[in-house]
């Protein structure tokens, strides 16, 4: 009887356990494939390159990858969903994506529990065939699992992860590193103004287009703006550049009279930098151009960390991103980025976190640091040039929303780059702990208003940040509320600071080795010099 029961139990367990449809074992220059499901699934192997095509629309094709190869690849094309499990995999591709996912539906890439997996790409010359990334996905991509996934892109033009649609990350320990140079610059890449044709204004050789030889004589200011350059309508802007209620700084009431127009910058406006605000180097890739008063370089392939034409959502896990080239953002989601949970650490030369839509912080612990640009940069439609339109920001989606979690956004380059840059679109604060470091234009970064700051927030102008020296925040009783240690120095930072402990009417002190400021939160948003 005991033997019969054991036999029945074994049969039951066998029926529950699910074996992968396909298992790939890499061994140097070869790959061995075990195929359990063959109907409507075609597999071909050449050396260590494996190609899988499935016509199944309803069945989720499952693939398990093991072993090691210094010159291998998986190209996966299915009509339905797919799940790819990495089980102790070390896979390097000498040309093209190690994981080239051409699915018509979502693909889930899972790092098996307790395993470490490394995917590396060393060359990305075939950018026309979407191979310029360690993982390239045509449809939605879910990265998950209780293991570790290392993404390493060493070749020029090689991204870490690139998708045409949404990316979701959860549970996973994900480390993304890119070290190559950008590959191939597109023509007409001078930046212009956000919302203008891609690539900016072409070379007009005489200044701003449509104005002949340049800007006409506005007699000391732009027309209709009372001698100033308007930049918004909230309590911090007053019709001028932020922090300069009368107009452009040092111009005493507006743009100076050039006696016939803006001077010829020899190719259009702007041309690598607005006088007095610093130029960019030749590899600059700032989207939009006017932010930072710089041009925009667009590349056939730039070495971004995680890039999606859709939305990026991080729910949990540990995500680390490192890029080292100008123009290589850390995390870029064209349709927005949502941080729901987990730990996220991004260090880049360009924007650490960038989107053309809302960037939302709900519960994650985020450190975003840029060595040469904004730490967090949102460019929502209509953002920068809303002040020139009729609806004056009313219909613009929020640039940045902080609901919870911890957000440390640090730009170490100084003015005009910011820790949190919202391009003058609405900035909403409902909760969370945050501490930004940056410059902003005239020491005035993107800020909320009294209406959009539901949690009391302070802008501290003039903090002298000293590398590795703690910044302390105390309440009126001397209780320590927060300590932030910043790994670089920056004179006269403009820092946006918020905490759930802040209460309107209460007094607080911010203290560093060479700076101490006591302030009272008089309203939802308070600026302190």
């Amino acid at each position: 009887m005991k033997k019969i029961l054991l036999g029945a139990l074994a049969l039951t367990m066998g029926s529950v356990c699910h074996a992968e449809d396909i298992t790939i074992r890499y061994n140097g220059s070869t790959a061995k494939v075990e195929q359990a499901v063959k109907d409507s699934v075609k597999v071909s192997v050449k050396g260590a390159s494996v190609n899988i095509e499935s016509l199944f629309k309803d069945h989720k094709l499952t693939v398990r990858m093991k072993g090691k190869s210094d010159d291998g690849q998986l190209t996966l094309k299915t009509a339905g969903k797919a799940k790819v499990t990495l089980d102790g995999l070390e896979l390097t591709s000498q040309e093209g994506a190690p994981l080239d996912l051409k699915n018509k539906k979502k693909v889930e890439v899972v790092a098996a529990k307790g395993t470490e997996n490394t995917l590396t790409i060393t060359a990305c010359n075939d950018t026309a065939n979407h191979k310029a990334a360690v993982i390239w996905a045509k449809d939605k991509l879910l990265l998950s699992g209780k293991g570790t996934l290392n993404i390493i892109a060493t070749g020029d033009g090689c991204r870490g992860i690139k998708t045409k649609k949404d990316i979701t990350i959860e549970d996973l320990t994900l480390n993304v590193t890119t070290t190559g140079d950008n590959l191939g610059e597109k023509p007409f890449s001078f930046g212009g103004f956000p919302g203008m044709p891609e690539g900016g204004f072409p070379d007009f050789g005489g200044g701003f287009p449509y104005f002949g030889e340049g800007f006409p004589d506005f007699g000391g200011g732009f027309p209709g703006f009372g001698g100033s350059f308007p930049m918004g309508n909230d309590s911090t802007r007053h019709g001028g550049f932020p922090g300069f209620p009368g107009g452009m700084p040092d111009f005493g009431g507006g743009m100076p009279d050039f006696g016939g127009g803006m001077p010829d910058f020899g190719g259009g406006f702007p041309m690598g930098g607005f006088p007095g605000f610093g130029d960019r180097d030749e590899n600059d890739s700032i989207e939009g151009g006017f932010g930072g008063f710089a041009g925009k370089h667009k590349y056939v392939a730039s070495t971004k960390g995680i890039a999606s034409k859709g939305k990026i959502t991080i729910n949990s896990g540990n995500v680390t991103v490192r890029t080292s080239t100008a123009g290589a953002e850390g995390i870029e989601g064209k349709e927005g980025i949502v941080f729901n949970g987990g730990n996220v650490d991004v260090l880049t030369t360009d924007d650490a976190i960038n989107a053309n839509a809302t960037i939302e912080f709900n519960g994650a612990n985020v450190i975003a640091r840029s060595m040469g640009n904004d730490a967090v940069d949102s460019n929502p439609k209509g953002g920068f040039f809303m002040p020139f339109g009729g609806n004056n920001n009313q219909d613009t989606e929020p640039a940045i929303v902080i609901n919870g979690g911890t957000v440390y956004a640090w730009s170490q380059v100084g003015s005009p780059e910011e820790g949190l840059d919202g391009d003058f679109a609405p900035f909403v604060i409902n909760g969370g702990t945050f501490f930004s470091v940056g410059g902003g234009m005239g020491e005035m970064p993107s800020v909320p208003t009294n209406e959009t700051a539901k949690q009391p927030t302070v802008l501290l102008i003039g903090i002298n940040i000293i590398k590795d020296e703690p910044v302390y925040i105390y309440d009126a009783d001397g209780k320590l509320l927060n300590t932030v240690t910043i790994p670089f120095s920056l004179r006269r930072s403009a820092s946006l600071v918020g905490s759930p402990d802040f209460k309107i009417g209460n007094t607080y002190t911010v203290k560093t080795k060479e700076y101490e400021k006591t302030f009272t939160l008089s309203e939802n948003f308070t600026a302190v010099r």
Side-chain angles (χ1 to χ4, degrees), residues 70-89:
D70 292 330
D71 190 10
Q73 186 179 32
L74 169 63
T75 300
L76 181 63
K77 183 178 181 180
T78 74
K81 295 180 181 180
K83 177 180 178 181
V84 179
T85 300
L86 311 181
D87 189 358
L89 177 69

Side-chain angles (χ1 to χ4, degrees), residues 84 90 100 117 137 159 164 180 202 220 222 298 301 311 319 324 354 358 383 456 485 495 510:
V84 179
E90 291 184 48
D100 189 6
N117 306 273
R159 300 173 177 88
K164 283 193 169 185
F222 278 71
K298 289 183 69 67
K311 178 180 286 188
V319 179
S324 56
N354 175 275
T358 303
T485 301
S495 296
V510 174

Side-chain angles (χ1 to χ4, degrees), residues 24-33 45-50 73:
I24 306 171
R25 289 182 170 84
Y26 291 93
N27 184 10
S29 60
T30 63
K32 182 180 179 181
V33 176
V45 181
K46 183 178 180 181
S49 294
V50 179
Q73 186 179 32

Side-chain angles (χ1 to χ4, degrees), residues 172-397:
L172 185 66
T173 296
L174 176 64
N175 304 308
V176 179
T177 304
T178 71
T179 58
D181 291 329
N182 299 313
L183 186 65
E185 189 171 355
K186 293 180 179 180
F188 299 108
S189 58
F190 266 140
F193 295 82
M196 294 300 179
E198 184 174 335
F201 288 113
D203 186 349
F204 287 98
F208 205 99
Y210 311 123
F211 289 105
E213 293 301 316
F215 271 114
D217 184 354
F218 291 130
F222 278 71
F225 298 128
S228 69
F229 198 136
M231 281 294 151
N233 65 340
D234 66 26
S235 60
T236 68
R237 288 165 186 154
H238 304 293
F241 255 72
F244 302 101
M248 288 280 285
D250 301 324
F251 290 127
M255 290 290 285
D257 185 346
F258 287 110
M262 291 283 284
D264 183 351
F265 288 108
F269 177 77
M271 285 293 120
F274 205 98
F277 287 94
D279 296 335
R280 298 285 184 190
D281 64 27
E282 63 181 2
N283 290 321
D284 198 352
S285 67
I286 305 302
E287 295 283 342
F290 200 79
F293 304 95
K296 177 176 70 173
H297 288 229
K298 289 183 69 67
Y299 301 94
V300 173
S302 59
T303 56
K304 299 175 182 179
I306 303 173
S308 170
K309 290 187 176 181
K311 178 180 286 188
I312 296 176
T313 302
I314 299 177
N315 292 323
S316 56
N318 299 286
V319 179
T320 301
V321 180
R322 298 287 185 267
T323 72
S324 56
T325 306
E329 288 90 354
I331 300 176
E332 180 190 59
K334 291 293 187 182
E335 296 182 0
I337 305 173
V338 180
F339 297 92
N340 288 325
N343 302 296
V344 181
D345 184 349
V346 186
L347 173 61
T348 63
T349 300
D350 207 277
D351 297 336
I353 297 170
N354 175 275
N356 288 353
T358 303
I359 299 175
E360 184 174 337
F361 300 91
N362 294 322
N365 299 311
V366 179
I367 299 175
R369 175 184 167 196
S370 173
M371 294 181 288
N373 211 327
D374 298 316
V376 176
D377 182 23
S378 172
N379 305 286
K381 294 179 180 179
F384 193 92
F385 269 83
M386 288 302 295
F388 297 100
N391 51 7
N392 219 4
N393 283 0
Q394 297 301 312
D395 299 326
T396 306
E397 63 181 300

Side-chain angles (χ1 to χ4, degrees), residues 72-114:
Q73 186 179 32
L74 169 63
T75 300
L76 181 63
K77 183 178 181 180
T78 74
K81 295 180 181 180
K83 177 180 178 181
V84 179
T85 300
L86 311 181
D87 189 358
L89 177 69
E90 291 184 48
L91 186 61
T92 297
S93 172
Q94 299 299 324
E95 170 64 41
L99 287 189
D100 189 6
L101 308 174
K102 299 178 179 180
N103 290 49
K104 292 185 178 180
K105 293 186 178 180
K106 183 172 71 175
V107 180
E108 181 179 0
V109 176
V110 181
K113 184 177 180 179

